[in-house]
Amino acid sequence: MSLAFVFPGQGSQSLGMMAGFADDASVRQTFEEASAVLGQDLWAMCQPDADAAVINATVNTQPLMLTAGVAVFRAWTARGGALPVVAAGHSLGEYTALACAGSIAFADAVRLVRLRAEAMQAAVPEGVGAMAAILGLADADIIAACSEAAQGEVVEAVNFNSQGQVVIAGNKAAVERAMGLCKDKGAKRALPLPVSVPSHCALMKPAAEKLAAALAGIAVSAPTFPVIHNADVAAYTDPAQIRDALTRQLYQPVRWVDTVQKMAADGVSVIAECGPGKVLVGLNKRLAAEAQHVALTGLASFDELKAVI
């Protein structure tokens, strides 16, 4: 069996999300490392009785989800779990994948995603941008609707998550116009998303410039296993290409459909979601139906994965 790991991004966080790993020493150690880097208690932040508004703030969600994914990966490998032959991450999850592959040191990755979140929020004041999920409409029709709706503003298809599920982002008014046009073209639903930042569209270019400057100041090395990048569905070993892919990711679409289908075409037979939640498993089952899919949501799920690889 050929194993791939995929790492979730924003939207998979929830209070109590690490309950299935609470007894694991490597998980707690990973959270302690990240908490020391940021000067705040990330483990307390995601407990069942914590404040949901705190973990849902972009500046907290990004380092929290990175830490959770790395923690689960470390717990898996500490128990003798096999390394993947390839990995990918959805948006923010790309940083988690690179950290697990040793391309970026964990402490550097934690600092980097905190800066990324701050730069994204600073690039577009709250209320100016928006994102929406378009369900049940062909990609080409969504792209055409965005082009028609722009009218001098920004609205773009930014997350190709699965067939019939695409997220658009941009200026709020343009997104609203595009939602209406998508419905006119036959979309089953057009749902505004509860986010404060319009990720992966041209409005993020100022944030990408800040990110590029930060990336230039940290060590990046070839990953120990291939990591497929969101922006161009390619894996790189050259540090300059990795930095460039991470920078472009901020204002170019997440090509998740192509990513998972590439894994399947390359012979991956088991795809494990490494981190809290089951969002990616839900998408991946539709994109690679012949593969087996496992969500690593607790220590008990490690046995489930070992049984199929």
Side-chain angles (χ1 to χ4, degrees):
M1 290 291 183
S2 182
L3 173 66
F5 269 21
V6 293
F7 296 88
Q10 286 186 248
S12 291
Q13 74 277 4
S14 63
L15 296 178
M17 66 186 192
M18 297 302 294
F21 299 98
D23 297 330
D24 186 86
S26 61
V27 166
R28 297 297 290 269
Q29 174 62 32
T30 303
F31 270 80
E32 288 170 8
E33 288 177 36
S35 297
V37 169
L38 297 178
Q40 64 184 137
D41 190 340
L42 294 182
W43 186 258
M45 189 184 291
C46 64
Q47 295 312 296
D49 58 353
D51 184 351
V54 173
I55 71 164
N56 289 333
T58 297
V59 294
N60 293 325
T61 307
Q62 294 202 29
L64 182 64
M65 288 300 298
L66 172 91
T67 301
V70 171
V72 173
F73 183 82
R74 286 178 173 180
W76 164 255
T77 56
R79 284 169 166 73
L83 291 177
V85 299
V86 67
H90 191 285
S91 187
L92 164 73
E94 189 168 295
Y95 290 79
T96 318
L98 288 167
C100 290
S103 181
I104 300 174
F106 177 52
D108 286 338
V110 171
R111 294 186 193 96
L112 197 58
V113 298
R114 167 57 60 83
L115 179 144
R116 179 179 184 265
E118 291 171 343
M120 290 169 72
Q121 192 65 74
V124 182
E126 195 154 355
V128 172
M131 299 182 77
I134 310 300
L135 307 181
L137 189 63
D139 292 356
D141 289 333
I142 296 171
I143 292 168
C146 288
S147 179
E148 186 179 342
Q151 298 176 20
E153 293 185 309
V154 170
V155 58
E156 300 165 4
V158 297
N159 289 2
F160 295 93
N161 288 331
S162 70
Q163 292 93 344
Q165 184 184 327
V166 174
V167 174
I168 63 174
N171 294 105
K172 186 176 181 182
V175 169
E176 289 170 350
R177 289 192 294 270
M179 290 169 65
L181 286 169
C182 286
K183 288 179 182 176
D184 292 343
K185 290 176 182 290
K188 291 179 182 177
R189 302 184 76 182
L191 305 170
L193 300 179
V195 296
S196 59
V197 173
S199 304
H200 303 293
C201 74
L203 296 177
M204 288 293 106
K205 285 190 175 179
E209 292 175 5
K210 293 180 181 178
L211 182 64
L215 280 163
I218 66 166
V220 177
S221 58
T224 55
F225 46 81
V227 174
I228 301 173
H229 292 272
N230 291 172
D232 42 18
V233 197
Y236 298 116
T237 57
D238 178 70
Q241 289 180 304
I242 293 169
R243 289 187 178 96
D244 178 61
L246 288 174
T247 301
R248 287 185 292 110
Q249 186 223 51
L250 210 48
Y251 60 86
Q252 292 183 351
V254 173
R255 295 171 57 188
W256 195 250
V257 172
D258 294 339
T259 297
V260 176
Q261 290 181 341
K262 175 177 172 55
M263 289 179 173
D266 289 347
V268 166
S269 54
V270 180
I271 304 177
E273 180 170 2
C274 187
K278 300 180 180 181
V279 171
L280 297 182
V281 163
L283 297 176
N284 297 346
K285 284 180 177 178
R286 298 197 289 272
L287 301 175
E290 68 286 355
Q292 297 192 65
H293 302 270
V294 179
L296 300 180
T297 55
L299 295 175
S301 61
F302 288 178
D303 293 334
E304 180 185 353
L305 179 55
K306 286 180 178 180
V308 297
I309 60 174

